[in-house]
Amino acid sequence: MSETEPPRRRGFLRRSPRPGAQPSAAAQAASAAAGPRSATGEDSVPLGMKIAGAWSWRILVVMAVLAVIGFLIIQLRLLIIPVLVAVVLSALLVPFKNFLVRHKWPKGLAIAAAELGTIVVVAALIFLVVTQVTSGFDDLKQQSISSYNDLKSFLADSPLQVSESDFNAYVSQFWTAVQQDSQALITGAAAVGSSVGHVLTGVLLTLFSTLFILIDGERIWAWIVRLFPRKARAATDGAGKTGWRTLQNFVKVQILVASIDAVGIGVGAAILGVPLAIPIGVLVFLGSFIPIIGAVVTGTVAVFIALIYNGWVIALIMLGIVLLVQQIEGHVLQPLVMGTAVKVHPLAVVLAVAGGSMVAGIAGAFFAVPLVATLNVMINYIAGGTWRTPVPDPALTTPKDALPHD
């Protein structure tokens, strides 16, 4: 060794691979994971692009799974919709059943009272509406024809000078446009199966599903939890119970909001002397279960009847009442009462209703808000991490009553 050559330090210098030697499997895997490198040996892909790519393929996988779930729901809509209706009804009836049980009612009698009471209330509302509309149908028909003729005479005498032939041509064009635009709706309704047989099947499925949720709902939920991996069961069980409580709050508050809308518009119609005030109130009550827009859409029926029977002055006053009720709902009831109960921003409510109606029509608009509210609290519960505290396996515990209590 020459004097100018530095001493070699054993163990600190890597040996260069022998010519022709193949890198090990670990080295090849590390090189592949590192990605492409530039000529200088540095990684040519920026860190931000790596993060964006990692998020992108994961988002694509999630969207693909959601698309498959949506496709299955569409294919099984005649089964899914009655079950979802049963879940919403059960969210209302389970607290009532538990109330009766706490007051010493036998469980079977409490379940029968909840189920039969619901059937009686719905049947009574339908009977009331049918009898009211049937008794006033002939008068409504005659008034409609008279108002139609008065409108033609008014347009002919107005500065517009719309003749009867021109008016009939406009009506014909309007009717043709409505028929063309509604062709897709008619086709979709036929595809969904809006026949009497399908409707009866859906009603029976709803009643049976509601009955068994009331009888054995908690065991059904325990079976669903057992389908998940053991480590995920605590999070699934806690999220499900939190979502269930939110759904119960939504149903209770929505009934309150719908009752206020129905009373406001129905009483307003009765005070103004608009016929069929009771059917109008029932229609508004049912329509108000679609937040924000339900009361307005059903309230137009009251405005139309007022225009036919009472003239345009009463119709304008009726329109003002409908808009006032809608403003109270949109600016007071929804943000304060509904927002506090389900913890969903009013903007999210509007967007959920609009998106649900575009995707699935009336059913989508009806289920949009409870679905968004339930998913919101379930996701927040899982993200909060409170389920990580040691608890017994919810799938292995013995249930004592139907679905989670209040």
Side-chain angles (χ1 to χ4, degrees), residues 25-96:
Q28 292 178 357
S31 177
R37 293 180 178 274
S38 63
T40 59
E42 298 179 354
D43 196 344
S44 61
V45 180
L47 178 61
M49 184 60 70
K50 285 184 176 181
I51 297 175
W55 275 101
S56 297
W57 73 260
R58 287 175 171 85
I59 292 175
L60 289 176
V61 171
V62 172
M63 296 300 294
V65 172
L66 293 178
V68 172
I69 294 175
F71 175 78
L72 293 177
I73 291 176
I74 293 174
Q75 296 300 316
L76 301 175
R77 56 189 175 275
L78 297 179
L79 176 64
I80 298 297
I81 292 178
V83 172
L84 292 178
V85 173
V87 172
V88 174
L89 283 177
S90 300
L92 175 66
L93 297 180
V94 165
F96 178 66

Side-chain angles (χ1 to χ4, degrees), residues 164-241:
E164 184 173 357
S165 60
D166 294 336
F167 182 82
N168 293 334
Y170 293 148
V171 172
S172 178
Q173 293 176 2
F174 173 76
W175 183 247
T176 301
V178 169
Q179 287 179 327
Q180 291 176 351
D181 293 338
S182 62
Q183 188 63 37
L185 178 62
I186 295 173
T187 304
V192 170
S194 56
S195 63
V196 176
H198 285 142
V199 172
L200 292 178
T201 302
V203 171
L204 291 177
L205 282 174
T206 300
L207 293 177
F208 277 109
S209 300
T210 305
L211 178 63
F212 285 109
I213 291 175
L214 292 175
I215 294 174
D216 215 10
E218 191 166 316
R219 293 182 186 274
I220 296 174
W221 174 245
W223 176 81
I224 294 175
V225 173
R226 194 178 293 114
L227 298 177
F228 289 82
R230 185 176 296 272
K231 293 183 179 179
R233 290 177 182 174
T236 303
D237 182 66
K241 291 180 178 179

Side-chain angles (χ1 to χ4, degrees), residues 92-364:
L92 175 66
L93 297 180
V94 165
F96 178 66
K97 185 263 297 183
N98 292 336
F99 172 80
L100 296 180
V101 171
R102 288 195 299 269
H103 286 75
K104 310 303 181 181
W105 282 52
K107 182 179 178 181
L109 185 59
I111 293 173
E115 182 89 1
L116 295 177
T118 303
I119 297 175
V120 169
V121 170
V122 174
L125 289 177
I126 294 175
F127 177 78
L128 180 62
V129 171
V130 170
T131 53
Q132 291 282 324
V133 172
T134 302
S135 61
F137 179 76
D138 293 335
D139 191 17
L140 178 63
K141 181 180 178 181
Q142 294 176 359
Q143 289 290 338
S144 300
I145 296 174
S146 177
S147 299
Y148 178 79
N149 294 328
D150 292 341
L151 178 61
K152 289 195 298 183
S153 301
F154 171 78
L155 293 177
D157 298 335
S158 68
L160 298 176
Q161 297 294 318
V162 179
S163 63
E164 184 173 357
S165 60
D166 294 336
F167 182 82
N168 293 334
Y170 293 148
V171 172
S172 178
Q173 293 176 2
F174 173 76
W175 183 247
T176 301
V178 169
Q179 287 179 327
Q180 291 176 351
D181 293 338
S182 62
Q183 188 63 37
L185 178 62
I186 295 173
T187 304
V192 170
S194 56
S195 63
V196 176
H198 285 142
V199 172
L200 292 178
T201 302
V203 171
L204 291 177
L205 282 174
T206 300
L207 293 177
F208 277 109
S209 300
T210 305
L211 178 63
F212 285 109
I213 291 175
L214 292 175
I215 294 174
D216 215 10
E218 191 166 316
R219 293 182 186 274
I220 296 174
W221 174 245
W223 176 81
I224 294 175
V225 173
R226 194 178 293 114
L227 298 177
F228 289 82
R230 185 176 296 272
K231 293 183 179 179
R233 290 177 182 174
T236 303
D237 182 66
K241 291 180 178 179
T242 304
W244 175 253
R245 288 191 292 268
T246 299
L247 181 61
Q248 288 181 326
N249 293 334
F250 168 81
V251 174
K252 295 174 184 177
V253 173
Q254 192 57 52
I255 290 179
L256 173 63
V257 173
S259 301
I260 294 175
D261 290 344
V263 171
I265 296 178
V267 171
I271 292 175
L272 293 176
V274 179
L276 304 178
I278 294 178
I280 289 173
V282 175
L283 184 62
V284 171
F285 176 79
L286 297 176
S288 297
F289 281 91
I290 301 176
I292 305 298
I293 63 174
V296 176
V297 173
T298 53
T300 55
V301 178
V303 177
F304 175 74
I305 295 176
L307 180 62
I308 293 176
Y309 275 91
N310 307 93
W312 63 271
V313 176
I314 300 298
L316 288 178
I317 298 175
M318 191 70 241
L319 177 61
I321 293 175
V322 172
L323 294 178
L324 177 62
V325 171
Q326 190 272 336
Q327 292 298 315
I328 294 175
E329 177 189 352
H331 293 87
V332 178
L333 299 179
Q334 291 290 344
L336 299 180
V337 182
M338 181 65 71
T340 303
V342 302
K343 300 178 182 178
V344 176
H345 195 274
L347 178 60
V349 173
V350 175
L351 295 179
V353 172
S357 61
M358 288 187 294
V359 172
I362 297 177

Side-chain angles (χ1 to χ4, degrees), residues 16-29:
S16 59
R18 295 191 304 272
Q22 297 293 331
S24 64
Q28 292 178 357

